[in-house]
Amino acid sequence: MTDAPIRFDLPHDQLPTAWLNIMPSIAQAGIQPLPPLHPGTHEPVTPDLLAPLFPEALILQEVSTDPWVDIPGEILDVYRLWRPSPLQRAVRLEKALQTTARIYYKYEGVSPAGSHKPNTAIAQAFYNKVAGTKRLATETGAGQWGSALAMASKFFGLDCQVFMVKASYEQKPYRRIFMETFGAEVVPSPSPTTQAGKAILEADPDSTGSLGIAISEAVEVAATSGGAIKYSLGSVLNHVLLHQTVIGLEAKAQMELTGDSPDVVIGCVGGGSNYAGLAYPFMADRLAGATPDLRFLATEPAACPTLTEGRFAYDFADTGQMGPLIPMYTLGHTFVPAPVHAGGLRYHGDSPSLSLLVKHGHMEAVAFSQNAVFDAAVQFAHTEGIVPAPESAHAVRGAIDEAIEARDAGEERVILFGLSGHGAFDMQAYDDYLNGRLPEVEYRQEDVTASMANVPDVPVPGEPTRA
Amino acid sequence: MTDAPIRFDLPHDQLPTAWLNIMPSIAQAGIQPLPPLHPGTHEPVTPDLLAPLFPEALILQEVSTDPWVDIPGEILDVYRLWRPSPLQRAVRLEKALQTTARIYYKYEGVSPAGSHKPNTAIAQAFYNKVAGTKRLATETGAGQWGSALAMASKFFGLDCQVFMVKASYEQKPYRRIFMETFGAEVVPSPSPTTQAGKAILEADPDSTGSLGIAISEAVEVAATSGGAIKYSLGSVLNHVLLHQTVIGLEAKAQMELTGDSPDVVIGCVGGGSNYAGLAYPFMADRLAGATPDLRFLATEPAACPTLTEGRFAYDFADTGQMGPLIPMYTLGHTFVPAPVHAGGLRYHGDSPSLSLLVKHGHMEAVAFSQNAVFDAAVQFAHTEGIVPAPESAHAVRGAIDEAIEARDAGEERVILFGLSGHGAFDMQAYDDYLNGRLPEVEYRQEDVTASMANVPDVPVPGEPTRA
């Protein structure tokens, strides 16, 4: 028997009762947050422009400068179904790596939907319910977000419509059925039910869709509903990241139980909500000057290397250019990443706050190709048992690399990473990997160059203007 | 916010350190356990006859009369990856049912393989490793057991071969891939690699297989290996049920945290290991006379109603008649249940100890048809979030029926049920249910009559002889 405990369960009654808003910490560190801009006027977006899409409570959270936002009891009641989530020490992985590092992981796959996504889906459904919304419209790619919002909508008695990227709809029937089990209407996108979908289908009847198209369809449904239908987004926006901080708040309390302090906090980044959720409670300490040596490492796919190869610019969050201009690292809103299995990370942009932190040197980023990611995922499964979601496996790769580096340097290093979900719905990816069918795809510079040419020419304060 | 806590986490350091053996309790209650018999001589099976299939430690557990068996530290180290598992109060389900009952469930779906099966897979792999076994052979139907043994084998450095019923192999590729991810060799059964498989294929080249055939193949591989390969079974046998009692031991300690005592303990029964695992620690109290009013309710599918419609008799555990004669409720070893989605419950027999407890009135049993089961599963998902495995959903149906009965009688009733696994690999079943494609299959009396005619004519002490 090992002497070291491996599970650090936070008592049920120590569930966080407020979310942490990173924005005041960013401002206090001397970093000026940049507002989203109206795509026509290039003036800062005012809250009323968001009112057709989101209930007021979420808009207020989006622009909040309060350091803490109380979590309503009705949301806590649902969180308690699976939260606090586990924080474990990966002693079996450490032993396999013969590392001098200590590796901890925060596991969000225990949620009924199998990922971190319900943390914000529950909150969004609740605030919509209170505001009188009858139905939510959203998009989903890999299916994690749609699954979470379907469940959350059922819990709060809302109808839910999910535009599912057609390629996923056809390849991942289990994800579709999961959503339908919770009563959601799942529509393959592009669909003939929206103007945005019709336009795509007229140009290309065989279109297999994209996240950008699906967003445009869901936004259109909400914007043209007269108020009864609202839109719901699973990442990128401030209020989404806010809700996810319950992960990191728990993890901080659990790290205290371990007696260790992390030297590096690692997570995978698509839109940024999973990693921000884990990282921001620790980042607040760094921004306040309390932990200047604490490192943050964002991991992303080499096929969609937004933080490592993108440019910090104002760009559209959606392909259809329906939303505001967002200040973020971007590969260009027309960039279409290669179809890697980590569908949740195939996003051309990133959350503005996370982008700012990378830009100002508070966060590092690294990109991995997918065979290296699945090597790590299988090593993790063979030692710790859990088969990671392909997205989460990027964080596993980052953690293993840090542990190997520590071993080779003869250093003790305390590594904390976020395991954002399980891979039970992603077994096809493992089959491809095990049978050598996983193509080693990276981005192509010419694609990024072409896509970047479509980024609007809007100056970013402190950034060089376009050549 | 509700006032009542809903999660009752057992502290990490209170993981049970010994398994509970129900056999001495059964004997002390005046019930004479019946030995398995040699199929040729009809004499009690001696341990040496089992030696080609199982390591000595497991054979000793199989015949043990000790009330407790210590859990080795190496097994505890693995259990700790996910144990103690959660016990939760289903307050949201209670509210939906408007019941006066309080419903608790013990959730085994948090294991990396998604069910209770690793509790014994880990133990069997460990004892085999210690005994020098190089490779394990087993069978799997729905895939839960094969998944658990694949993981356990990888953890202890054993090779693993799984004969997977061909129909499942083709319909459930995700289950196959899960096993392969842990390095197991998965063979569709019947296969041309064994004499048993060849014989079936010669008679019927298109055979889609059965659990009975797959057992015969795995047993043959072990029996003809000269000792390097052992066989591993996922239910029915005493040592398997013994390992699963970690579930009920935790649940007892957790029920003490709730301040409630169960009035009824419910679980689904295929071979019996899941339900015995939850029930036996409570049953020991009943057999000792301490809780004479505590009820036990076994749930099973109407398509395979072993406990409710079978006969208590000596019968073969496997279709191929390779194993000993087992004293149990049986529908006859040639009975082929209709292909209901709860593949893990499609077994003609039941564990001997559980059969004895039903026979002597310590345990009730009820059979449900599959639409009623999925009605309950979806109601559970809509309130508690977790999508149950089709097998586990039988226990949910039982619990909901008890809660409704309590409500209608105006009674407080404390219900504890076992949620043995999640349904992430079973979404096709939900699709069939949601779209009205789930056939309402029950057993046919003529099939049972025909099958029962093949049960050997071996007298059971205290039972009337065959007509």
Side-chain angles (χ1 to χ4, degrees):
Chain A
M1 209 186 316
T2 56
D3 298 319
I6 61 168
R7 279 176 62 164
F8 303 90
D9 293 337
L10 201 61
H12 167 273
D13 57 7
Q14 289 180 35
L15 183 67
T17 55
W19 295 298
L20 181 144
N21 181 8
I22 198 68
M23 299 315 289
S25 296
I26 289 178
Q28 281 159 21
I31 303 170
Q32 183 59 44
L34 303 168
L37 302 182
H38 188 283
T41 64
H42 295 186
E43 291 298 314
V45 167
T46 48
D48 59 295
L49 288 172
L50 300 172
L53 298 184
F54 304 106
E56 187 184 15
L58 292 177
I59 296 172
L60 292 177
Q61 290 180 0
E62 187 64 26
V63 299
S64 171
T65 55
D66 296 334
W68 295 95
V69 177
D70 285 342
I71 308 176
E74 293 87 344
I75 295 173
L76 291 174
D77 276 348
V78 180
Y79 279 180
R80 285 202 180 87
L81 291 175
W82 69 91
R83 305 207 71 87
S85 69
L87 183 129
Q88 300 197 195
R89 182 170 165 198
V91 287
R92 297 169 54 85
L93 176 62
E94 290 171 16
K95 193 178 284 185
L97 296 169
Q98 298 183 287
T99 180
T100 43
R102 294 190 290 286
I103 306 174
Y104 297 89
Y105 61 99
K106 176 72 169 165
Y107 184 41
E108 290 293 304
V110 294
S111 88
S115 80
H116 65 293
K117 292 291 190 188
N119 296 329
T120 184
I122 295 298
Q124 293 190 44
F126 167 74
Y127 288 115
N128 270 287
K129 178 68 177 181
V130 170
T133 306
K134 301 298 179 201
R135 185 177 173 91
L136 291 174
T138 196
E139 70 289 326
T140 200
Q144 298 272 29
W145 169 241
S147 295
L149 195 67
M151 180 182 81
S153 297
K154 175 56 71 180
F155 279 1
F156 288 104
L158 300 172
D159 290 337
C160 180
Q161 183 177 30
V162 182
F163 290 92
M164 186 174 189
V165 174
K166 193 183 281 177
S168 279
Y169 183 93
E170 288 166 357
Q171 288 162 11
K172 293 194 165 193
Y174 276 27
R175 272 286 175 207
R176 167 184 60 76
I177 301 165
F178 188 94
M179 293 182 258
E180 290 174 347
T181 298
F182 285 96
E185 180 191 350
V186 185
V187 181
S189 167
S191 82
T193 67
T194 66
Q195 296 304 320
K198 272 183 205 164
I200 298 285
L201 288 173
E202 276 166 24
D204 176 10
D206 298 326
S207 167
T208 55
S210 75
L211 205 51
I213 296 168
I215 292 177
S216 298
E217 292 203 87
V219 167
E220 180 185 322
V221 163
T224 60
S225 73
I229 306 177
K230 295 288 182 188
Y231 172 67
S232 189
L233 188 67
S235 193
V236 178
L237 297 178
N238 289 344
H239 70 270
V240 180
L241 275 57
L242 174 77
H243 302 152
Q244 293 292 357
T245 58
V246 66
I247 303 171
L249 291 167
E250 288 178 6
K252 268 190 82 170
Q254 289 167 307
M255 283 306 300
E256 280 174 24
L257 297 178
T258 71
D260 270 331
S261 296
D263 295 307
V264 58
V265 178
I266 304 172
C268 65
V269 173
S273 75
N274 153 63
Y275 184 44
L278 174 65
Y280 281 3
F282 295 94
M283 179 62 80
D285 292 344
R286 183 188 156 106
L287 292 173
T291 55
D293 296 329
L294 173 54
R295 293 169 51 228
F296 293 85
L297 179 63
T299 61
E300 59 183 13
C304 190
T306 315
L307 294 172
T308 49
E309 301 292 340
R311 190 157 62 81
F312 192 88
Y314 269 109
D315 194 10
F316 290 99
D318 64 311
T319 313
Q321 305 190 3
M322 299 183 70
L325 291 168
I326 305 277
M328 60 182 177
Y329 279 96
T330 179
L331 297 166
H333 63 275
T334 56
F335 180 73
V336 179
V340 290
H341 279 292
L345 306 186
R346 294 179 64 235
Y347 185 62
H348 70 273
D350 264 318
S351 116
S353 60
L354 203 127
S355 294
L356 269 183
L357 291 165
V358 170
K359 179 168 176 281
H360 287 271
H362 291 288
M363 192 178 275
E364 309 159 40
V366 61
F368 299 119
S369 62
Q370 65 180 347
N371 279 292
V373 165
F374 279 87
D375 287 347
V378 169
Q379 186 167 24
F380 188 78
H382 285 188
T383 50
E384 299 293 318
I386 298 167
V387 176
E391 293 83 0
S392 320
H394 287 72
V396 179
R397 176 78 270 163
I400 289 177
D401 285 357
E402 288 278 337
I404 290 172
E405 193 180 284
R407 174 193 71 197
D408 293 349
E411 283 176 27
E412 285 199 32
R413 191 177 300 187
V414 178
I415 299 165
L416 168 63
F417 77 92
L419 192 69
S420 55
H422 65 63
F425 290 100
D426 300 281
M427 298 313 299
Q428 187 57 51
Y430 282 87
D431 201 40
D432 290 346
Y433 167 75
L434 293 171
N435 291 286
R437 293 193 303 263
L438 212 55
E440 201 67 327
V441 282
E442 311 218 344
Y443 77 103
R444 299 193 310 167
Q445 186 58 54
E446 58 266 41
D447 293 343
V448 172
T449 303
S451 175
M452 289 303 293
N454 296 324
V455 174
D457 191 11
V458 177
V460 178
E463 291 288 297
T465 51
R466 296 280 285 277
Chain B
M1 204 184 324
T2 56
D3 298 318
I6 61 169
R7 278 176 62 164
F8 302 90
D9 293 336
L10 201 61
H12 168 273
D13 57 5
Q14 289 179 35
L15 184 68
T17 55
W19 295 299
L20 182 144
N21 181 8
I22 198 69
M23 301 314 289
S25 296
I26 288 178
Q28 281 160 21
I31 303 171
Q32 182 60 43
L34 303 169
L37 302 181
H38 188 283
T41 64
H42 296 185
E43 291 297 314
V45 166
T46 48
D48 59 295
L49 288 172
L50 299 172
L53 298 185
F54 303 106
E56 186 183 16
L58 292 177
I59 295 172
L60 292 177
Q61 290 180 0
E62 186 65 25
V63 297
S64 171
T65 54
D66 295 334
W68 294 96
V69 176
D70 285 343
I71 308 177
E74 293 86 344
I75 295 174
L76 290 173
D77 276 349
V78 179
Y79 279 179
R80 285 202 180 88
L81 291 175
W82 69 91
R83 305 206 71 88
S85 69
L87 184 129
Q88 299 197 195
R89 181 168 164 199
V91 287
R92 297 169 54 85
L93 177 61
E94 291 170 16
K95 193 178 284 184
L97 296 170
Q98 298 183 286
T99 181
T100 43
R102 294 190 289 287
I103 306 174
Y104 296 90
Y105 62 98
K106 176 71 170 166
Y107 184 41
E108 290 293 304
V110 294
S111 88
S115 80
H116 65 292
K117 291 291 191 188
N119 296 329
T120 183
I122 294 298
Q124 293 190 45
F126 167 74
Y127 288 115
N128 270 287
K129 179 68 177 181
V130 169
T133 305
K134 301 299 179 200
R135 184 176 172 93
L136 292 174
T138 195
E139 70 289 324
T140 200
Q144 298 273 27
W145 169 241
S147 296
L149 195 67
M151 180 183 82
S153 296
K154 176 54 70 179
F155 280 1
F156 288 104
L158 300 172
D159 290 338
C160 180
Q161 182 177 29
V162 181
F163 289 91
M164 186 174 189
V165 174
K166 193 182 282 179
S168 279
Y169 183 92
E170 287 166 358
Q171 288 163 12
K172 294 195 164 191
Y174 275 28
R175 273 286 174 207
R176 167 184 61 76
I177 301 164
F178 189 94
M179 293 182 258
E180 290 173 347
T181 298
F182 285 96
E185 178 191 350
V186 185
V187 181
S189 167
S191 81
T193 67
T194 66
Q195 296 304 320
K198 272 185 205 165
I200 297 285
L201 289 173
E202 277 166 24
D204 176 10
D206 297 325
S207 167
T208 55
S210 74
L211 206 52
I213 296 166
I215 292 177
S216 298
E217 291 204 87
V219 167
E220 179 185 323
V221 163
T224 59
S225 73
I229 305 177
K230 294 289 183 188
Y231 172 68
S232 189
L233 188 67
S235 193
V236 178
L237 298 178
N238 289 344
H239 69 272
V240 180
L241 275 57
L242 173 78
H243 302 152
Q244 293 292 358
T245 59
V246 67
I247 304 171
L249 292 167
E250 288 178 5
K252 268 190 82 170
Q254 288 167 309
M255 283 306 300
E256 279 174 24
L257 297 177
T258 71
D260 271 331
S261 296
D263 295 307
V264 58
V265 179
I266 304 172
C268 66
V269 173
S273 75
N274 153 64
Y275 184 45
L278 175 64
Y280 282 4
F282 295 94
M283 179 62 80
D285 292 344
R286 181 186 158 108
L287 292 173
T291 56
D293 297 327
L294 174 52
R295 292 169 51 227
F296 293 85
L297 180 63
T299 62
E300 58 183 13
C304 190
T306 315
L307 294 172
T308 49
E309 302 292 339
R311 189 156 63 81
F312 192 89
Y314 269 111
D315 195 11
F316 289 99
D318 63 312
T319 312
Q321 306 190 1
M322 297 182 71
L325 292 169
I326 306 278
M328 61 182 176
Y329 279 96
T330 179
L331 297 165
H333 63 276
T334 56
F335 180 74
V336 179
V340 290
H341 278 292
L345 307 186
R346 295 177 65 235
Y347 185 62
H348 70 273
D350 264 318
S351 115
S353 60
L354 203 128
S355 294
L356 268 183
L357 291 165
V358 171
K359 180 167 176 283
H360 287 272
H362 291 288
M363 191 178 274
E364 308 159 40
V366 60
F368 299 119
S369 63
Q370 65 180 347
N371 280 293
V373 165
F374 278 87
D375 286 347
V378 169
Q379 185 167 24
F380 188 79
H382 285 188
T383 49
E384 299 293 319
I386 299 166
V387 177
E391 293 83 359
S392 320
H394 288 71
V396 179
R397 176 77 269 165
I400 289 177
D401 286 356
E402 288 278 337
I404 290 172
E405 193 180 282
R407 175 193 71 196
D408 293 348
E411 283 175 26
E412 287 199 31
R413 192 178 298 187
V414 178
I415 298 165
L416 169 63
F417 77 91
L419 192 69
S420 55
H422 66 62
F425 291 100
D426 301 281
M427 297 314 298
Q428 187 57 51
Y430 282 87
D431 201 40
D432 290 346
Y433 167 74
L434 294 171
N435 292 285
R437 292 193 304 263
L438 213 55
E440 201 66 330
V441 281
E442 311 219 343
Y443 77 103
R444 300 193 310 166
Q445 186 58 55
E446 57 265 40
D447 294 343
V448 171
T449 304
S451 176
M452 289 304 293
N454 296 324
V455 174
D457 191 11
V458 177
V460 178
E463 290 288 297
T465 51
R466 295 281 283 277

